[in-house]
């Protein structure tokens, strides 16, 4: 995929200055990384504060487990990579929560701190889950399934008003780059090829540097493979199986492992240094941990990503489990938006820290809706006051200006402290409270309000009289058309002995369309509250409205 020149132009690559040491292991030449920081000591996992532009923001860095100054490699430019969806099913609120939260962070950086965020997101469109789902759904290939859910995901993000990244990049569009990435890791002595055609990352080759994000302790790596040297080793390339999508490689037909796609795509855009990497907390291990290992092995650098930001899980109220497809305890974004708006969900996210777990319930959404309603009402009243449409007691504007200035300072301070949105919302709601105290209507204003209500009621009655006349004329015209359509050209023949009709005559064929049009008009008016009832060639009507009925 060709990347926009403007995107690449904003990226600066750094050299790390490593020395390389070669050794022999089982007849294979291996390469270790050495640097002036003595990475073979206990300092291997020490975070190195970047040199560059200090944004004035402190953010919690999962690499250090504490807040760190956010320093960017380039002035006012943040390179940001995020793990996108594995597109095998509908996106749910758990996904939405993470994407909306990081959208909020990016907007804060760009609008409050004037940082140009260059955001790249990968779409995982080949994966075990996608293949399995395509087998479960007949007559749909993995490619078609993935494209279908990818487009649905993008529509969901648009509906949630999440800003799109600078570029979406699919895994299947970057297979040659992934193969080249793996070849270099093998060449650097950090991966091996098995007799079965699989390629695994050699975690032992990087020593204690594996485990930068999490304390591995007794954690065992990816299960299910029998041809690995170490349980912690993870797949870079998987040998193909019957009836699975596959691509050619130096190790035979196969497809990429899960983690290698992100390292390859992020590196193809941003090179050997990345400012910010984001994702849900469940991706910290093994996904992000393995990304770090293979990226630093590829670039021969000691720190590839400077800041790892993780969002907390979304839980259904009363459940300790996160919302997920595997647990079948999820609400799709499409279904959610039938009951709530995108802004209500965004405010729901703003009411908690992005790193914290969040409980979803009707009560929590009602709180978000109520808060948003208070904000909207204040903005409406303030606008009405400035336009001279709201009569109220004299405003002490000097006090309000002072409170506004103090709130702006409080908001900036809160957002600079690891994007503290709950404290920010509290500061804004306090300002609104003091504003509402001054925007109280006077007695004269209330009198004017009631007079307007009475006047509008009079207009309403006039409109109802007009509407009745219109409906009466419409129904009368329809009745005349029906009479014409139901009439026959001549009388039905009679029995000469009894004088009765031999058979009932039907409307003439060329008049049947008129009857169909009349029926259609009756059916179309019903949802609008106009109900027509036909009795022979005559018709009656009534208008129904909440709590009242008008008949004729």
């Amino acid at each position: 995929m060709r990347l926009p020149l403007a995107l690449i132009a904003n990226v600066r690559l750094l050299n790390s200055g490593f020395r390389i040491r070669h050794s022999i292991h089982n007849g294979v030449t291996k390469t270790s990384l050495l640097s002036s920081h003595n990475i073979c000591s206990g300092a291997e996992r020490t975070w190195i504060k970047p040199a560059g532009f200090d944004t004035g923001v402190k953010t919690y860095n999962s690499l250090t487990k504490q807040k760190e100054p956010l320093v960017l490699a380039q002035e006012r430019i943040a390179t940001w990579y995020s793990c996108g969806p594995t597109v095998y099913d509908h996106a749910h609120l758990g996904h939405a929560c993470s994407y909306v939260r990081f959208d909020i962070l990016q907007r804060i950086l760009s609008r409050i701190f004037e940082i140009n965020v260059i955001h790249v997101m990968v779409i995982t469109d080949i994966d075990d889950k996608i293949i399995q789902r395509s087998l479960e759904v007949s007559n749909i290939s993995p490619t078609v399934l993935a494209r279908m859910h990818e487009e649905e995901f993008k529509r969901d993000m648009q509906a949630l008003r999440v800003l799109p990244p600078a570029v979406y990049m699919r895994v299947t569009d970057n297979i040659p780059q992934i193969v080249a990435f793996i070849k270099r890791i093998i060449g650097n002595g950090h991966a091996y090829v098995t007799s079965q055609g699989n390629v695994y990352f050699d975690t032992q080759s990087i020593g204690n540097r594996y485990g930068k994000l999490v304390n591995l302790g007794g954690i065992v790596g990816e299960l299910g493979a029998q041809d690995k040297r170490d349980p912690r080793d993870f797949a870079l390339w998987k040998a193909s199986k019957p009836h699975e999508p596959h691509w050619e490689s130096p190790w035979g037909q196969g497809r990429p492992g899960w983690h290698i796609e992100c390292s390859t795509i992020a590196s193809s855009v941003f090179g050997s240094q990345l400012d910010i990497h984001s994702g849900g907390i469940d991706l910290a291990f093994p996904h992000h941990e393995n990304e770090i290992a293979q990226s630093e092995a590829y670039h021969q650098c000691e720190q590839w990503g400077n800041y790892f930001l993780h969002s907390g899980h979304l839980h259904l109220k009363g459940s300790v489990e996160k919302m997920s497809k595997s647990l079948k305890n999820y609400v799709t974004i499409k279904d959610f938006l039938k009951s709530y708006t995108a802004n209500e969900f965004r405010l729901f996210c703003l009411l908690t820290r992005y790193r914290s777990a969040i409980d979803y319930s009707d009560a929590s959404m009602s709180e978000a809706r109520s808060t948003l309603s208070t904000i909207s009402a204040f903005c409406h009243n303030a606008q009405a006051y400035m336009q001279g449409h709201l009569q109220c007691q004299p405003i002490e504007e000097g006090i309000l200006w002072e409170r506004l200035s103090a709130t702006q300072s409080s908001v900036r301070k809160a957002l600079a402290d690891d994007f503290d949105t709950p404290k920010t919302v509290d500061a804004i709601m306090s300002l609104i409270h003091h504003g509402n105290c001054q925007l109280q209507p006077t007695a004269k204003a209330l009198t004017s309000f009631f007079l307007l209500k009475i006047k509008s009621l009079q207009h309403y009655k006039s409109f109802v009289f007009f509407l009745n006349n219109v409906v009466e004329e419409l129904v009368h015209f329809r009745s005349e058309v029906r009479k014409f359509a139901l009439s026959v050209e001549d009388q039905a023949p009679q029995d000469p002995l009894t004088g009765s009709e031999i058979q009932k005559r039907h409307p003439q064929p060329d008049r049947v369309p008129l009857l169909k049009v009349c029926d259609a008009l009756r059916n179309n008016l019903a949802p609008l509250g106009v109900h027509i009832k036909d009795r022979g060639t005559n018709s009656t009507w009534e208008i129904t409205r909440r709590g009242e009925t008008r008949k004729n």
Side-chain angles (χ1 to χ4, degrees):
M1 175 185 290
R2 294 180 63 87
L3 298 178
L5 293 178
L7 178 64
I8 300 175
N10 283 324
V11 179
R12 184 178 70 183
L13 308 182
L14 300 181
N15 296 319
S16 58
F18 272 77
R19 292 184 291 112
I20 303 173
R21 181 180 69 191
H22 298 281
S23 60
I24 305 295
H25 177 74
N26 292 337
V28 179
T29 301
K30 302 183 67 177
T31 305
S32 302
L33 303 180
L34 299 176
S35 79
S36 58
H37 292 273
N38 188 17
I39 62 171
C40 292
S41 70
E44 293 177 8
R45 299 179 188 175
T46 300
W47 180 70
I48 304 168
K49 181 179 177 180
F53 177 76
D54 192 334
T55 61
V57 174
K58 281 192 173 183
T59 186
Y60 185 88
N61 191 352
S62 295
L63 288 169
T64 63
K65 308 298 185 294
Q66 64 183 21
K67 297 177 186 178
E68 304 287 357
L70 179 58
V71 179
L72 308 175
Q74 300 179 79
E75 184 174 351
R76 299 202 176 280
I77 295 177
T79 56
W80 188 311
Y81 178 84
S82 66
C83 300
T86 300
V87 283
Y88 73 98
D89 205 341
H90 306 293
H92 57 67
L93 280 191
H95 302 128
C97 187
S98 182
Y99 293 121
V100 168
R101 281 172 153 181
F102 285 123
D103 181 66
I104 290 170
L105 266 57
Q106 291 178 359
R107 289 173 185 262
I108 291 171
L109 282 177
S110 61
R111 298 184 181 185
I112 305 299
F113 298 99
E114 300 178 338
I115 303 298
N116 179 22
V117 177
I118 304 175
H119 179 204
V120 172
M121 179 183 290
V122 70
I123 300 290
T124 302
D125 59 344
I126 182 65
D127 179 83
D128 292 337
K129 294 178 181 178
I130 296 172
I131 295 171
Q132 180 61 35
R133 181 57 54 87
S134 71
L135 294 175
E136 296 170 358
V137 182
S138 59
N139 299 323
I140 295 183
S141 70
T143 301
V144 172
L145 180 74
R147 291 292 185 276
M148 179 176 67
H149 288 300
E150 175 188 337
E151 293 307 312
E152 182 184 44
F153 167 79
K154 291 177 180 177
R155 288 194 297 270
D156 285 341
M157 293 300 102
Q158 185 177 21
L160 290 170
R161 300 182 180 177
V162 173
L163 295 175
V167 61
Y168 286 108
M169 299 185 73
R170 298 190 190 106
V171 175
T172 56
D173 290 338
N174 289 271
I175 299 297
Q177 294 90 329
I178 291 173
V179 170
F181 203 92
I182 296 172
K183 286 174 66 177
R184 182 163 170 178
I185 294 176
I186 295 173
N188 288 344
H190 297 290
Y192 56 91
V193 185
T194 72
S195 59
Q196 298 180 21
N198 295 310
V199 182
Y200 292 101
F201 186 86
D202 185 359
T203 53
Q204 293 183 14
S205 71
I206 60 173
N208 290 334
R209 297 182 68 202
Y210 188 63
K212 284 190 170 186
L213 278 176
V214 296
N215 182 7
L216 296 179
I219 292 178
V220 178
E222 298 173 351
L223 303 177
Q226 304 298 322
D227 56 345
K228 297 195 293 185
R229 295 176 183 171
D230 187 301
R232 301 174 303 167
D233 294 352
F234 52 91
L236 303 181
W237 186 262
K238 296 183 176 182
S240 65
K241 298 177 181 178
H243 311 298
E244 286 188 356
H246 59 266
W247 289 264
E248 297 294 335
S249 79
W251 322 289
Q253 293 181 340
R255 56 187 174 87
W258 174 28
H259 319 294
I260 194 66
E261 63 192 52
C262 290
S263 294
T264 301
I265 290 173
S267 297
S268 70
V269 180
F270 299 123
S272 61
Q273 186 180 47
L274 177 66
D275 289 323
I276 301 171
H277 194 310
S278 66
I281 188 61
D282 54 314
L283 295 178
F285 185 87
H287 187 49
H288 291 167
E289 189 67 60
N290 292 348
E291 275 189 69
I292 293 171
Q294 61 200 11
S295 296
E296 293 178 357
Y298 174 88
H299 292 294
Q300 304 278 55
C301 67
E302 56 194 38
Q303 187 165 290
W304 168 63
N306 291 331
Y307 301 88
F308 275 77
L309 276 54
H310 291 107
S311 60
H313 285 149
L314 181 139
H315 302 263
L316 289 175
K317 183 71 172 180
S319 172
V320 296
E321 302 287 352
K322 70 170 184 175
M323 183 178 288
S324 71
K325 297 172 185 174
S326 60
L327 296 174
K328 300 186 184 302
N329 63 345
Y330 64 90
V331 179
T332 66
I333 295 172
K334 187 178 297 184
D335 286 342
F336 170 83
L337 290 175
K338 293 176 182 177
S339 302
Y340 301 99
T341 67
N343 281 344
E344 287 168 348
F345 184 72
R346 186 166 291 258
L347 193 54
F348 165 75
C349 293
L350 285 166
L351 292 174
T352 57
R353 301 289 291 259
Y354 76 94
R355 291 190 289 114
S356 64
I358 183 170
D359 285 334
Y360 170 77
S361 66
D362 289 339
S364 58
M365 286 306 305
S366 295
E367 180 188 2
R369 173 174 283 175
S370 175
T371 303
L372 184 62
S373 177
T374 300
I375 295 172
S376 299
F378 172 74
C379 292
H380 174 78
N381 291 338
Q383 189 71 23
Y385 168 75
M386 290 186 289
Q387 293 175 348
H389 299 157
L390 178 63
Q391 299 180 35
C392 58
Q393 60 189 0
I395 299 294
E396 298 180 35
E397 295 190 3
I399 295 177
L400 285 182
W401 279 113
E402 288 179 7
R403 290 196 176 276
L404 175 61
S405 178
T407 301
Q408 289 174 327
S409 176
S410 298
V411 165
R412 188 178 182 90
K413 182 179 179 181
L415 295 178
D417 182 17
D418 195 30
F419 311 100
D420 191 341
T421 55
K423 188 176 290 186
T424 298
V425 172
D426 286 344
I428 292 172
M429 297 307 293
S430 176
L431 176 66
I432 288 175
H433 169 73
H434 289 288
N436 281 333
C437 288
Q438 295 212 39
L439 289 175
Q440 294 297 323
T442 60
K444 180 180 179 181
L446 290 174
T447 302
S448 300
F449 172 78
F450 285 118
L451 288 175
L452 285 173
K453 280 293 183 183
I454 293 172
K455 196 170 185 179
S456 65
L457 184 61
Q458 292 172 341
H459 285 307
Y460 170 72
K461 289 182 177 179
S462 299
F463 173 74
V464 169
F465 179 76
F466 170 75
L467 179 62
N468 286 345
N469 289 338
V470 171
V471 173
E472 174 62 33
E473 288 299 320
L474 179 64
V475 173
H476 176 72
F477 175 75
R478 177 180 175 277
S479 297
E480 293 299 315
V481 172
R482 288 188 75 254
K483 286 180 183 179
F484 172 74
L486 291 171
S487 66
V488 293
E489 187 174 354
D490 50 11
Q491 293 182 348
Q494 296 182 341
D495 187 309
L497 297 178
T498 64
S500 61
E501 293 183 355
I502 298 176
Q503 62 180 3
K504 187 176 181 179
R505 294 290 303 273
H506 295 286
Q508 297 182 48
D510 60 343
R511 300 183 185 180
V512 171
L514 292 176
L515 289 174
K516 290 183 178 180
V517 171
C518 289
D519 290 343
L521 177 60
R522 178 193 63 208
N523 296 336
N524 290 340
L525 288 175
L528 303 177
V530 179
H531 301 277
I532 301 174
K533 294 182 179 180
D534 296 319
R535 294 176 174 83
T537 57
N538 297 318
S539 302
T540 60
W541 61 269
E542 65 178 8
I543 298 177
T544 59
R545 190 172 177 269
R546 294 177 184 174
E548 60 181 82
T549 302
R550 294 187 297 280
K551 296 183 178 181
N552 184 286

